[in-house]
Amino acid sequence: LAIIEYMPLLAGQLGVEFFDDKLNSLCLTWLIDHVFAIREAATNNLKKLVEKFGTEWAQQKVIPKVVAMSHDQNYLHRMTCLFCINVLAEACGADITERLLLPTVLGMAGDSVANVRFNVAKTILSISRVLPAAAIQSQVRPCIEKLNTDSDFDVRYYASEAAMAY
């Protein structure tokens, strides 16, 4: 864990080119580790790396990998995708969140695993702070309404929590 936590500092010292060549793939591999604490630390690093290297870098090097995780067969990887989106939304801002991250979250609302669906509701609540009001009304609200009718109690609970925020 210590190595993971020092990665943003190391990245800043080595520069973006060296990081992309030698360390980026390692950091992204940590997102699919079997141990939750590793995945969590790697997720938290993403925000620091985006703050260090910028949103253009994130769009090219990180977001495509995170979005791809939304289609992974392992539901834990799909949930890590949502956790990454939570931290990336704040670091990347409204435009990138609306264009690249929100469609991924909304697409995951129909996931076969209830834990993923209720984390969709939690993620929507989290990222809504950076989304424009028009996107919330036209895209987010219909998704929350759909999740409010889910067959799973926990999904409905978190969807109702998200609905109360709008």
Side-chain angles (χ1 to χ4, degrees), residues 121-122 125 144 148 155-166:
K122 290 169 78 173
L125 181 58
I144 290 297
N148 257 322
V155 174
R156 290 192 311 273
Y157 172 79
Y158 286 108
S160 69
E161 291 284 309
M164 286 191 280
Y166 307 117

Side-chain angles (χ1 to χ4, degrees), residues 83-94:
F83 301 153
C84 289
I85 289 172
N86 286 330
V87 300
L88 288 171
E90 187 178 334
C92 291

Side-chain angles (χ1 to χ4, degrees), residues 66-95:
V66 169
V67 168
M69 289 173 64
S70 70
H71 303 292
D72 197 290
Q73 288 184 333
N74 187 329
Y75 86 96
L76 295 173
H77 299 171
R78 296 193 305 274
M79 290 192 31
T80 300
C81 168
L82 292 169
F83 301 153
C84 289
I85 289 172
N86 286 330
V87 300
L88 288 171
E90 187 178 334
C92 291
D95 177 58

Side-chain angles (χ1 to χ4, degrees), residues 85-107:
I85 289 172
N86 286 330
V87 300
L88 288 171
E90 187 178 334
C92 291
D95 177 58
I96 292 172
T97 300
E98 184 179 6
R99 271 188 310 108
L100 303 175
L101 302 177
L102 180 60
T104 302
V105 176
L106 298 177

Side-chain angles (χ1 to χ4, degrees), residues 32-86:
I32 58 171
D33 195 274
H34 296 292
V35 178
F36 175 75
I38 302 291
R39 294 191 310 269
E40 182 180 42
T43 298
N44 291 332
N45 271 354
L46 288 183
K47 180 180 179 190
K48 295 173 189 169
L49 290 168
V50 170
E51 289 168 350
K52 197 164 292 293
F53 294 145
T55 57
E56 189 63 38
W57 174 83
Q59 288 181 86
Q60 293 174 7
K61 303 292 183 177
V62 175
I63 293 174
K65 306 283 190 207
V66 169
V67 168
M69 289 173 64
S70 70
H71 303 292
D72 197 290
Q73 288 184 333
N74 187 329
Y75 86 96
L76 295 173
H77 299 171
R78 296 193 305 274
M79 290 192 31
T80 300
C81 168
L82 292 169
F83 301 153
C84 289
I85 289 172
N86 286 330

